[in-house]
Amino acid sequence: MGIITMHFLFNLSLLMILFFVFFLLDKRVGSIHLHKRAGLFYFVFSLVICTVFSYPIQSEYVLDLRIIPFLLGGLYLRFSPILGFLVILFRAFHGIDVGFFIAVAFYTVFSFFIWYISPWFLKLTSNIRILFSTGITLLISVGILFTIALNKVSPDQFIDIFIAYVIVPPLGVAIISSTIEIREKNQQLQQQLVIEEKLAAVEQMGAAISHEIRNPLTTAIGFIELLDQVSLDNNKRTKYISIIKDELDSAEGIIQDYLTFSKPIIESIEELDIQNELTHILKLLHPLANYHSVKVSTDFSTYGTIQGDRSKFHQCFINIIRNSIESMPYGGALLIKTIATQNKITISIQDTGTGLSKDQINHLGEPHYSPKGPKGTGLSMMVAYSILRAMKGTIEVQSEIGKGTISLFHFKLHKTKV
């Protein structure tokens, strides 16, 4: 391998390393089409490197890899007029000679040609763009080599220059353009994945809403049909109307829960005494605990207050504690503790229920996911987790199948009570 070829291969390796740093390591840059400023900086810096590593054949002729950044920057980002001007400017540092005027003529014409065909180029398929950019680089390299270089070199340099100028530039364009296309495809796949995830969430939400609302609406429709009976006395009519109203209120509550999940609104910020609020919630859930034969005990060894919305706090922990009770259908024990540190307070809810696997823990709070399987929609935990996030709380779940679950809810401590 000749010295010129090795010189050009080293130059090409620098261009590829620089491209990797700009467009592959930095995730904020991403697609070069979305970040033209970074793209321009890369191609300008590449021209500087090519100028530094240029190889003079005669006093007035210089060979380098400037065609690579010039062509790729022009085709992909329409920077050819800027890059063409810089190529001419950098060439002037080698002297105002015959080679300089040839560069002026060539890059002036070719800059506007590349700028003109760039929109057409970008409409081509990925593989065609790679082939086109590589092919045009090969034609330019061969043209320059036969019109300039071969007339000024000795026969023993012919093979070295031929490999260096006819093989290395097209190879470099092929590699870098392929990398660009791969990066673009990855960007498109990521965007498509985000869209599909959003659509899946919407579908899951729609299925959950349909499942939840169908029951109260079916009940309401049934009693509306009963109201059509002529022989119905006033007492039954009043009772049926009351049931219909309750079922419609239930449906409205379900819709409100979904609105809370999608965008929980903290209507008022007030100081909440953790012990008092949890005691109130446990009184409301006492009948449910008795029904499931669950023994509820508390350990409020530390007392403190947090700031938040009282009604949302109640809604959140009613859902969470109800789920814990229902995880023990044949009885069990539920322990609720509070633990205060210097700057946070933790609510610990421990049950002796069926427990959760690691996969189930990872999916808690997701739309339309419930550890109960087809029997549940996950609505209550969706709402609870959404409220917790809105109140800037964090969640930690520890569980083992058959041994129960410990759920830890951390809040910023507002004030410690003695």
Side-chain angles (χ1 to χ4, degrees), residues 288-346:
L288 181 66
N290 286 341
Y291 177 79
H292 286 276
S293 301
V294 173
K295 181 183 178 181
V296 180
S297 56
T298 61
D299 180 11
F300 298 140
S301 56
T302 55
Y303 307 116
T305 64
I306 64 172
Q307 288 187 317
D309 187 315
R310 177 173 279 103
S311 63
K312 290 290 189 293
F313 183 87
H314 287 181
Q315 182 183 11
C316 171
F317 280 94
I318 284 174
N319 289 346
I320 292 170
I321 297 174
R322 181 194 291 124
N323 269 17
S324 294
I325 293 173
E326 292 176 348
S327 72
M328 299 178 281
Y330 306 109
L334 180 68
L335 173 63
I336 300 176
K337 298 192 299 183
T338 56
I339 307 162
T341 60
Q342 186 175 3
N343 56 3
K344 73 176 181 180
I345 187 165
T346 299

Side-chain angles (χ1 to χ4, degrees), residues 271-282:
E271 191 173 317
L272 305 180
D273 186 306
I274 292 294
Q275 180 194 11
N276 291 342
E277 304 306 330
L278 289 176
T279 301
H280 174 73
I281 291 169
L282 290 175

Side-chain angles (χ1 to χ4, degrees), residues 49-85:
I49 292 177
C50 292
T51 303
V52 171
F53 288 92
S54 60
Y55 192 90
I57 298 178
Q58 299 291 339
S59 59
E60 69 271 24
Y61 293 106
V62 178
L63 294 180
D64 55 38
L65 296 182
R66 73 187 85 160
I67 190 64
I68 296 177
F70 168 77
L71 192 62
L72 292 176
L75 289 174
Y76 280 97
L77 297 176
R78 304 195 77 189
F79 287 153
S80 54
I82 300 174
L83 298 176
F85 171 77

